């Protein structure tokens, strides 16, 4: 049952109708210099522990490494849905797949 539930979640995410509202499109009007400047600002915010502000910038620029690092911080705090959202935005299957399996197992257990 867990594998079937994982497949259903993956299909829903592929159809952009999943449980987590995400956008895959960074702001296209930003040039490379603007992205670099914003990512530096977001890195400074991240290092100061201002995760929400850093997250907003990383989502805007589409910086996958930054999204993954913020996701890791959320995962450390057991905020798995927030972490999963960022891993999916970063296209980081190595991090998202284990979380999807964990959440699918939890849902499966709840349904029993």
């Amino acid at each position: 049952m867990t594998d079937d539930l994982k497949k259903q979640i993956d299909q829903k995410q592929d159809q952009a109708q999943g449980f987590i509202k995400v956008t895959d499109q960074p702001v296209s009007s930003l040039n490379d210099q603007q992205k670099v400047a914003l990512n530096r600002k977001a890195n400074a915010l991240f290092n100061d522990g201002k995760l929400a502000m850093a997250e907003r910038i990383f989502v805007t620029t589409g910086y996958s490494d930054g999204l993954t690092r913020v996701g890791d911080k959320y995962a450390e705090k057991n905020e798995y849905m927030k972490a999963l959202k960022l891993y999916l935005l970063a296209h980081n299957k190595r991090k998202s797949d284990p979380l999807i399996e964990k959440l699918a197992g939890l849902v499966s257990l709840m349904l029993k």
Side-chain angles (χ1 to χ4, degrees), residues 8-22:
Q8 288 177 11
I9 290 171
D10 286 342
Q11 285 175 335
K12 291 289 186 186
Q13 283 302 134
D14 289 342
Q15 297 169 0
Q17 298 173 354
F19 298 113
I20 300 173
K21 187 175 182 178
V22 296

Side-chain angles (χ1 to χ4, degrees), residues 40-91:
R40 284 186 181 146
K41 175 68 175 170
N43 281 325
L45 291 166
F46 176 84
N47 291 334
D48 289 341
K50 298 176 181 173
L51 296 182
M53 293 172 71
E55 174 186 345
R56 288 184 66 181
I57 294 172
F58 289 140
V59 168
T60 300
T61 63
Y63 183 48
S64 61
D65 184 56
L67 292 167
T68 297
R69 287 186 290 122
V70 174
D72 290 344
K73 288 292 184 185
Y74 285 140
E76 287 173 12
K77 296 178 177 182
N78 297 326
E79 296 181 49
Y80 298 116
M81 293 302 283
K82 286 182 178 181
L84 180 58
K85 173 185 172 184
L86 296 179
Y87 295 152
L88 291 171
L89 284 172
H91 299 281

Side-chain angles (χ1 to χ4, degrees), residues 30-43 61:
L30 295 174
N31 64 39
D32 289 342
Q33 290 175 330
Q34 291 170 319
K35 286 182 183 180
V36 167
L38 285 170
N39 286 333
R40 284 186 181 146
K41 175 68 175 170
N43 281 325
T61 63

